[in-house]
Amino acid sequence: MSAWWLPASNRGGEVITTPLTFCATVNAILHAGLAPVLADVDPSSQNIDPDAIEAAITPRTRAILPVHFAGRPCAMDRIMAIARKHGLVVIEDCAHAIETEFDGQPVGTFGDFGCFSFYATKNVVTGEGGMILGRDEEHVARARILALHGMSKDAWHRFGDQGYKHYQVVECGFKYNMMDLQAAIGLHQLARVEANWRRRRELWERYDEAFAGFPLGLPAPPDAGTRHGYHLYTVMIDAARSGLGRDAFLDAMNAAGIGTGVHYLSIPEHPYYQQRFGWRPEQWPCAMQLGRETVSLPLSPAMSDSDAERVIQAVTDLLHAR
Ligand SMILES: *Cc1c(COP(=O)(O)O)cnc(C)c1O
């Protein structure tokens, strides 16, 4: 597992994260030469359970990597207390959580780093790319260098009016930089972030109202003192309660011309992790069950009221509700 380009200090280290996330969360840990350790989610918030984090801590634990799932903030008060107690780094996966706040503080600013994505499915879209927030100037400077081959100066700083400036390669870096062109596209979306968030909240509240009493699980209401990012509206479909299984529901929605998603099959459902770590989904039963029942309904600021009514009608018909 340890490769020549990784710092020896990473060897044998563990990072605790959630099994209900996109594979990139876990792969990032592996690419750093560290071992992922999964801590199950709370079935209501669907976020990593702080008690499960505590139970997963070993002398090898280096960091906690919480994911603010669907835009709902993790329990950052408890997670930061655990990190302080055990001297751990905290890296927040904020891919769903541009607008999210906990106790009036934006997520991504609690831990040592906050990582955002501007991929096509996210709430600011630059095609590809993302953003890292860092608490420590030196760590931020190092991230910049690692993102561009390990070079001490990028092109803007090499070819300036003051003439050519030598750069130095100070680390074996990567090609992980976002293009300035992409940043220009993203910067212009910042002005729309709030209006888009308000529209998604409206759609979310319309779904909540329409589906109350239906035979399916609904997302828990946002916790007091928090701001939900309303990135995903996930419902739970199980055959016993809903009258059809999750995959049958997905197929029927597709047949009705309505796009859906699954966020996510739990990480240990995937063969790579099963083969590499011997993981079985049953070891994290809450994430397993959620992953097998969850469906993300359309939630986009581009949706009209009649688009939302069409989704609601399709769900109503499928569940023989009302
Ligand atoms: C999209 C996503 C990522 C990965 O973002 P990229 O920009 O595609 O690398 C990581 N974690 C979560 C939870 C995501 O949804």
Side-chain angles (χ1 to χ4, degrees), residues 51-236:
D51 291 331
I53 295 176
E54 291 239 62
I57 287 175
T58 75
R60 297 175 297 283
T61 308
R62 299 285 164 74
I64 307 171
L65 205 174
V67 178
H68 304 291
F69 179 79
R72 184 187 306 275
C74 292
M76 291 314 295
D77 50 351
R78 292 208 47 207
I79 291 173
M80 294 311 298
I82 294 168
R84 274 192 295 273
K85 181 170 154 199
H86 297 275
L88 305 175
V89 171
V90 173
I91 301 156
E92 298 172 68
D93 182 334
C94 302
H96 299 181
I98 290 174
E99 308 86 349
T100 301
E101 294 178 3
F102 182 84
D103 271 350
Q105 184 178 334
V107 299
T109 64
F110 286 85
D112 299 270
F113 296 100
C115 301
F116 295 79
S117 170
F118 305 142
Y119 182 63
T121 54
K122 311 296 158 94
N123 293 333
V124 168
V125 174
T126 63
E128 284 285 2
M131 179 175 79
I132 304 177
L133 302 184
R135 173 170 299 290
D136 179 298
E137 293 281 350
E138 267 178 49
H139 288 158
V140 171
R142 177 152 186 249
R144 266 187 224 284
I145 288 171
L146 283 172
L148 196 67
H149 305 293
M151 289 161 62
S152 60
K153 288 188 176 66
D154 68 18
W156 287 107
H157 296 102
R158 273 182 281 138
F159 306 105
D161 292 339
Q162 276 75 50
Y164 186 82
K165 294 274 191 299
H166 284 291
Y167 65 85
Q168 292 180 307
V169 176
V170 294
E171 291 211 48
C172 177
F174 304 90
K175 183 66 176 169
Y176 282 175
N177 62 307
M178 194 168 113
M179 289 161 63
D180 295 336
L181 271 174
Q182 295 169 303
I185 292 168
L187 281 172
H188 283 275
Q189 291 171 34
L190 294 180
R192 294 204 299 273
V193 164
E194 277 301 302
N196 288 348
W197 175 84
R198 282 197 298 272
R199 179 60 184 155
R200 293 198 309 278
R201 183 178 59 177
E202 266 170 23
L203 294 164
W204 175 291
E205 287 170 354
R206 176 70 192 110
Y207 283 157
D208 266 357
E209 172 191 60
F211 299 142
F214 276 30
L216 81 179
L218 297 181
D223 291 315
T226 71
R227 187 187 207 226
H228 198 300
Y230 303 116
H231 176 58
L232 297 171
Y233 190 88
T234 62
V235 296
M236 301 298 136

Side-chain angles (χ1 to χ4, degrees), residues 237 242-262 295-298 310-320:
I237 304 289
S242 308
L244 81 173
R246 191 272 306 276
D247 289 354
F249 182 92
L250 292 175
D251 290 343
M253 291 293 276
N254 186 50
I258 293 170
T260 52
V262 172
V295 176
S296 302
L297 297 180
R310 200 161 73 80
V311 175
I312 290 163
Q313 191 59 53
V315 174
T316 307
D317 293 346
L318 263 173
L319 301 182
H320 308 292

Side-chain angles (χ1 to χ4, degrees), residues 36-57:
V37 172
L38 304 180
D40 208 353
V41 295
D42 174 283
S44 169
S45 72
Q46 309 193 5
N47 275 329
I48 194 165
D49 178 347
D51 291 331
I53 295 176
E54 291 239 62
I57 287 175

